[in-house]
């Protein structure tokens, strides 16, 4: 009985691990950034940890100085206050110290910003994302028959018809009816604009966040290093349904993407269902294989 219980828990754990490997999304009590799916996001995660080596000591130093001032220079312990008006050593320290710390922060920060906004590779796929109140419209600017569709929040009543009843993979308030589909390991250029008010396209796992401004075309890029289903949201307050404007990107193999793109040129819904069936079937096979290996 005990062995069966352990085997059951192992199988459940393997299934959960398999699902988490294919769908990146926020989770309850999350303390850090989402797992990186691009090299840019890896650098962002590194920079976050790097800055802590400056933030924590500075915070502790300020706390200690405040405690010293409160205790040593309180009125009861120091009835006659000091009339010191200048101290050259202190002036030099609190001027050079912050300058040096800021240089150590600024240099890698500028390098990261350059990498984010000035790619060194030529794009292999271009997608235009347009924000509306309150959904996204996408246009694939490739091929003889360009693909375009709208992506709206998936309603609970539509889950069964869409085949997206698994809330672990298609979570509430993040799942959409039509995901953006891109190939793994390819440089994707993303053109972002808006049709009404200011929105913002944010995909945490990709390290992408850029404003969508009416009348302006902003450009960013990403290259996903692994397959999976990734979720983001509009990150600019854009009206009453701002919280219901998710972004979903499905990263697949090049062959799967080519098949989807060809089918989507005539029928996006059917192409999505066929792609989802093939991907979900592969994920279930992985989960079963992991369980058997245990």
């Amino acid at each position: 009985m005990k062995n069966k219980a352990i085997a059951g828990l192992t199988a459940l754990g393997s299934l959960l691990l398999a699902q988490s490997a294919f769908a990146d999304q926020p989770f309850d009590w999350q303390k850090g950034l989402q797992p990186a799916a691009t090299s840019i996001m890896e650098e962002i995660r590194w920079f976050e940890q790097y800055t802590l080596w400056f933030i924590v000591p500075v915070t502790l130093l300020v706390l200690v100085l405040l405690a010293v001032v409160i205790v040593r220079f309180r009125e009861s312990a120091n009835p006659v206050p000091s009339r010191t008006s200048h101290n050259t050593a202190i002036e030099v320290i609190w001027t050079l110290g912050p300058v040096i710390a800021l240089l150590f922060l600024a240099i890698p920060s500028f390098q990261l910003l350059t990498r984010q906004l000035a790619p060194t590779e030529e794009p292999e796929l271009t997608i235009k994302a347009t924000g509306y109140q309150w959904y996204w419209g996408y246009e694939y600017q490739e091929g003889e028959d360009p693909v375009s569709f709208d992506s709206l929040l998936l309603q609970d009543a539509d889950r069964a018809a869409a085949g997206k009843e698994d809330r672990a993979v298609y979570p509430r308030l993040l799942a959409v009816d039509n995901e953006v589909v891109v190939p793994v390991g390819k440089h994707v250029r993303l053109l972002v604009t808006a049709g009404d008010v200011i929105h913002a396209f944010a995909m945490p796992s990709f390290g992408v966040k850029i404003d969508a401004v009416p009348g302006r075309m902003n450009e960013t890029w990403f290259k996903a290093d692994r397959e999976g289903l990734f979720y983001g949201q509009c990150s600019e307050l854009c009206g009453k349904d701002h919280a219901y404007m998710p972004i979903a990107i499905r990263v697949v193999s090049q062959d799967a993407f080519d098949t989807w793109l060809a089918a989507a040129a005539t029928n996006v819904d059917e192409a999505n269902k066929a792609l989802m069936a093939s991907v979900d079937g592969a994920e279930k096979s992985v989960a079963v294989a992991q369980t058997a290996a245990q």
Side-chain angles (χ1 to χ4, degrees):
M1 189 68 181
K2 182 178 179 181
N3 291 336
K4 290 183 178 180
I6 294 175
L9 291 173
T10 301
L12 178 60
S14 299
L15 181 58
L16 292 175
L17 287 173
Q19 289 180 341
S20 65
F22 294 103
D24 279 24
Q25 55 187 279
F27 55 86
D28 292 342
W29 301 102
Q30 183 174 354
K31 296 179 181 179
L33 301 175
Q34 289 189 24
T38 65
S39 60
I40 288 292
M41 190 57 193
E42 290 284 1
E43 292 185 33
I44 292 174
R45 288 174 61 89
W46 172 86
F47 187 69
E48 179 207 19
Q49 300 296 322
Y50 175 76
T51 55
L52 287 178
W53 288 99
F54 296 88
I55 294 172
V56 172
V58 169
T59 302
L60 294 177
L61 175 61
V62 172
L63 181 62
V64 170
L65 292 176
L66 283 174
V68 170
V69 170
I70 291 171
V71 174
R72 184 175 176 182
F73 298 103
R74 69 187 189 277
E75 184 179 4
S76 59
N78 190 44
V80 181
S82 171
R83 295 184 179 274
T84 303
S85 62
H86 181 75
N87 186 300
T88 302
I90 292 178
E91 293 283 353
V92 171
I93 290 171
W94 75 29
T95 300
L96 291 182
V99 168
I100 294 172
L102 289 175
L103 282 175
F104 275 96
L105 292 174
I107 292 173
S109 174
F110 293 156
Q111 291 174 336
L112 178 56
L113 285 172
T114 300
R115 283 260 296 135
Q116 285 182 293
L117 300 177
T120 57
E121 300 180 44
E122 288 297 319
E124 298 169 274
L125 174 65
T126 300
I127 301 174
K128 179 183 176 183
T130 305
Y132 302 98
Q133 291 177 310
W134 289 271
Y135 63 95
W136 292 92
Y138 298 102
E139 299 176 29
Y140 284 70
Q141 302 182 351
E142 304 291 334
E144 297 179 358
D145 298 314
V147 174
S148 63
F149 55 88
D150 293 333
S151 180
L152 289 82
L153 175 71
L154 180 66
Q155 303 296 325
D156 289 342
D158 299 329
R159 284 183 174 273
K164 298 179 177 180
E165 296 178 281
D166 187 352
R167 290 175 182 258
V169 179
Y170 304 101
R172 179 177 176 270
L173 301 184
L174 285 178
V176 300
D177 54 356
N178 297 312
E179 296 93 4
V180 178
V181 181
V182 299
V184 67
K186 298 297 182 181
H187 183 113
V188 179
R189 175 170 56 188
L190 186 65
L191 305 177
V192 182
T193 187
D196 37 44
V197 300
I198 298 178
H199 302 276
F201 190 98
M203 181 57 62
S205 292
F206 292 177
V208 169
K209 186 175 183 181
I210 192 166
D211 283 345
V213 183
R216 174 181 294 181
M217 191 74 70
N218 287 331
E219 180 178 333
T220 187
W221 69 281
F222 62 85
K223 180 194 283 189
D225 297 329
R226 55 189 173 87
E227 298 181 32
L229 184 55
F230 303 90
Y231 291 102
Q233 290 177 298
C234 174
S235 295
E236 183 73 38
L237 186 60
C238 57
K240 70 181 185 66
D241 286 342
H242 163 67
Y244 308 103
M245 193 173 167
I247 301 166
I249 298 179
R250 190 187 292 274
V251 183
V252 298
S253 67
Q254 183 66 55
D255 290 341
F257 173 76
D258 292 338
T259 302
W260 173 85
L261 190 63
T266 56
N267 192 318
V268 173
D269 289 338
E270 292 302 321
N272 287 342
K273 289 179 180 179
L275 176 64
M276 190 172 66
S278 64
V279 171
D280 288 349
E283 292 175 6
K284 290 177 182 178
S285 298
V286 172
V288 171
Q290 289 182 344
T291 302
Q294 296 291 338

